[in-house]
Amino acid sequence: MTNRYAVVLAAGQGTRMKSKLYKVLHPVCGKPMVQHVVDQLNTLELNELITVVGFGAEKVQHQLGEDSHYVIQEEQLGTGHAVLKAEDILADKEGTTVVVCGDTPLLTAETLQKLLDHHDEQNAQATILTAHADDPSGYGRVIRGGNAQVERIVEQKDASEEEKAIQEINTGTYCFDNQKLFEALQNVANDNAQGEYYLPDVIEILKNESDKISAYQTPDFSESLGVNDRVALSKAEKLMKQRINEQHMRNGVTIVDPDQTYIGPDVQINRDVVIEPGCIIEGNTIIEEDAVVGPHSSLTNCFVGKGTVIKQSVAADSHIGERVQVGPYAHIRPASSLGDEVKVGNFVEVKKASFGSGSKASHLSYIGDAEVGDGVNIGCGTITVNYDGHNKHLTTIQDDAFIGCNSNLVAPVTVGKGAYVAAGSTINEDVPAEALSIARARQTNKEGYAAKMKSNKKE
Ligand code: UD1
Ligand code: CA
């Protein structure tokens, strides 16, 4: 099999975004554009993937990590100049090189595969991925000559009026015979409207050397959307959102209002899950069968077990078991774990706390830095007093304990198995198993006191 390489162009600043954040790091459905591109490429069998970085090089490298090798383009002199930066690694290798821009987040691995297949079938030295655009402005146009053979690509800024009317655009994705690509790049000049070394000029150079140039036109223009500004970014977001939501619906997930549902590309959702309107589900979240999420909930990197119901709540980096009830208006903060059949009700905040199965905190509580056993009942208004101004301390509540309403558990502290804490207690010493602890001022009733008060009142 032929060797395959990929070069991702990601060195530009993205001036048109008018942003502190480098263009290719702008997220689409929660994932940076360049990561979308690299993830799709990495599903193909490649010998090597190289990303050309420049502006924000460190941040781009940090984002992609080991998914790519890197070369640096210090000055951004154009897309042709950028590819040439991979010369030392690639130039003498035999095989096919795919070049993709880091700002085309909607491009799919299936389309890249079709492009590669077409390139092989045609025995071409260069194959351009093209698309028909209703509005081609901003893109390079594909110029075809006699027999509809591709001759060259002309950039918008260099195009004549006649050329501007052409609706077949260069998507910025290509396959090349690797060695031919690097030979041709030596001859690319910068005598054009932008004074840049254009990668698309390689097409005309190869054509003039009688190499075979081919084009594969993808039927779906949306895949080739190049994001240069924030208007295009919002279009990409919308298209990606539709694509992701449709895939989940086809897999058996009910999404009540897909226009108002935002699901990240790496989220996994099982059958018969219902997603109510207004949810944002991100990161590596996994939702198991029959769960119901929403309306208006946000889940980031969470596991949600079978049959769990989450209403109007926010949860991040946490494990939520089966048949759990969360919300309305609960906040599950990172590193929490809720066992099966737990209930975390309205206005309850949980942070770095584990709940054993069947435990409940139904109303108005803060449970942070805590280990809660099985079958525990935490009354309304309970607070784990976890912070002394310097350090965080652990509260342990053992199985079947019962914490009365409006209690403060001053950590570090342990409430033993089956123990009771009386309502309104401030507990700062361990409570033995099966004990009742009352830690509040005693109530005194002064009979007839009201009449005395009234008689003392001045006229
Ligand atoms: C480019 C193509 C155009 C095509 C369009 C598709 C050129 C000259 N034009 O135009 O034909 O229709 O993409 O979206 O190639 N980059 C570098 N180094 C540079 C310049 C750019 O790494 O010196 C990177 C950018 O970060 C970006 C990509 O290359 O990810 C494309 O550059 P951009 O400036 O967006 O090119 P377009 O004007 O969109
Ligand atoms: Ca672009």
Side-chain angles (χ1 to χ4, degrees):
M1 213 185 113
T2 34
N3 290 329
R4 280 175 176 171
Y5 310 97
V7 177
V8 177
L9 304 183
Q13 183 179 23
T15 322
R16 291 165 280 182
M17 295 297 280
K18 304 206 169 124
S19 176
K20 289 188 286 301
L21 186 65
Y22 304 104
K23 175 166 75 174
V24 296
L25 293 177
H26 275 266
V28 170
C29 290
K31 189 197 266 199
M33 292 199 265
V34 69
Q35 187 75 59
H36 280 284
V37 171
V38 167
D39 285 353
Q40 294 299 313
L41 279 166
N42 272 334
T43 67
L44 307 172
E45 279 170 29
L46 296 172
N47 298 70
E48 188 130 33
L49 186 154
I50 298 166
T51 303
V52 185
V53 292
F55 272 102
E58 266 175 35
K59 296 214 162 84
V60 177
Q61 278 172 268
H62 179 76
Q63 170 62 41
L64 296 175
E66 307 212 323
D67 294 346
S68 174
H69 291 106
Y70 303 94
V71 293
I72 309 260
Q73 184 196 24
E74 275 166 7
E75 265 189 295
Q76 282 64 49
L77 302 180
T79 48
H81 179 256
V83 175
L84 207 45
K85 293 293 157 188
E87 188 178 24
D88 287 352
I89 306 178
L90 290 183
D92 58 350
K93 300 227 157 80
E94 268 179 41
T96 303
T97 295
V98 189
V99 180
V100 185
C101 296
D103 64 354
T104 51
L106 288 136
L107 191 64
T108 61
E110 294 79 67
T111 297
L112 286 165
Q113 188 60 55
K114 284 182 189 157
L115 173 71
L116 280 160
D117 292 346
H118 186 89
H119 180 76
D120 291 346
E121 282 158 24
Q122 297 288 312
N123 241 324
Q125 276 72 54
T127 305
I128 312 164
L129 181 68
T130 74
H132 174 91
D134 289 336
D135 173 13
S137 55
Y139 292 94
R141 311 295 205 280
V142 178
I143 311 294
R144 292 181 184 257
N147 298 333
Q149 289 294 308
V150 175
E151 307 235 297
R152 62 195 169 89
I153 291 165
V154 61
E155 291 305 300
Q156 164 96 16
K157 288 188 177 147
D158 301 294
S160 66
E161 286 311 310
E162 215 172 294
E163 288 165 340
K164 279 184 190 151
I166 294 171
Q167 287 182 297
E168 188 181 12
I169 59 119
N170 168 28
T171 65
T173 304
Y174 327 73
C175 286
F176 295 101
D177 173 293
N178 181 64
Q179 291 172 344
K180 293 266 180 192
L181 166 66
F182 284 94
E183 279 161 34
L185 279 171
Q186 309 294 335
N187 299 322
V188 170
N190 66 348
D191 50 348
N192 50 52
Q194 303 187 80
E196 286 185 3
Y197 297 90
Y198 292 162
L199 174 61
D201 284 1
V202 162
I203 300 298
E204 193 177 4
I205 292 168
L206 292 175
K207 176 83 195 166
N208 290 341
E209 285 169 5
S210 309
D211 284 314
K212 177 151 187 200
I213 312 298
S214 182
Y216 170 70
Q217 185 167 343
T218 165
D220 180 7
F221 169 77
S222 66
E223 275 205 36
S224 54
L225 185 74
V227 175
N228 295 327
D229 60 23
R230 303 214 197 202
V231 175
L233 183 67
S234 78
K235 285 183 186 153
E237 180 81 25
K238 190 170 178 186
L239 289 164
M240 184 71 82
K241 180 176 78 173
Q242 265 169 8
R243 181 193 286 174
I244 293 170
N245 288 351
E246 273 177 33
Q247 209 167 357
H248 287 298
M249 291 187 279
R250 291 194 199 290
N251 286 342
V253 175
T254 294
I255 298 181
V256 177
D257 185 353
D259 289 340
Q260 298 296 328
T261 302
Y262 304 82
I263 302 175
D266 300 322
V267 170
Q268 295 173 43
I269 310 181
N270 283 284
R271 283 175 173 214
D272 291 316
V273 166
V274 177
I275 311 289
E276 307 262 17
C279 290
I280 302 176
I281 304 173
E282 298 176 296
N284 295 315
T285 295
I286 299 173
I287 306 177
E288 298 285 13
E289 262 179 47
D290 301 324
V292 180
V293 180
H296 302 289
S297 292
S298 154
L299 301 177
T300 308
N301 299 321
C302 285
F303 175 90
V304 177
K306 271 190 193 169
T308 284
V309 177
I310 297 176
K311 290 183 175 167
Q312 284 107 337
S313 292
V314 175
D317 303 305
S318 289
H319 182 100
I320 301 172
E322 296 185 8
R323 299 177 303 284
V324 172
Q325 294 176 58
V326 176
Y329 312 112
H331 188 184
I332 313 290
R333 291 170 52 198
S336 295
S337 165
L338 307 183
D340 295 344
E341 288 170 8
V342 159
K343 183 173 178 201
V344 172
N346 36 203
F347 307 108
V348 173
E349 176 177 344
V350 175
K351 187 216 84 173
K352 205 176 171 187
S354 61
F355 278 60
S357 56
S359 290
K360 293 183 170 64
S362 299
H363 341 264
L364 297 155
S365 289
Y366 171 64
I367 309 298
D369 299 296
E371 285 173 17
V372 178
D374 297 340
V376 169
N377 190 84
I378 297 177
C380 175
T382 297
I383 293 171
T384 54
V385 183
N386 61 329
Y387 187 48
D388 60 13
H390 300 283
N391 296 305
K392 302 279 166 71
H393 301 283
L394 182 72
T395 300
T396 305
I397 306 173
Q398 294 180 344
D399 295 351
D400 303 315
F402 182 98
I403 312 297
C405 290
N406 203 31
S407 296
N408 296 311
L409 304 174
V410 183
V413 75
T414 297
V415 178
K417 198 167 188 285
Y420 284 78
V421 169
S425 293
T426 292
I427 300 293
N428 58 0
E429 283 171 33
D430 289 354
V431 179
E434 306 294 333
L436 164 68
S437 182
I438 309 174
R440 64 185 183 218
R442 245 175 212 289
Q443 179 171 336
T444 3
N445 292 338
K446 303 199 173 175
E447 295 284 351
Y449 194 82
K452 202 173 143 196
M453 289 296 282
K454 278 174 203 155
S455 67
N456 283 348
K457 229 182 194 175
K458 284 187 183 142
E459 292 302 306

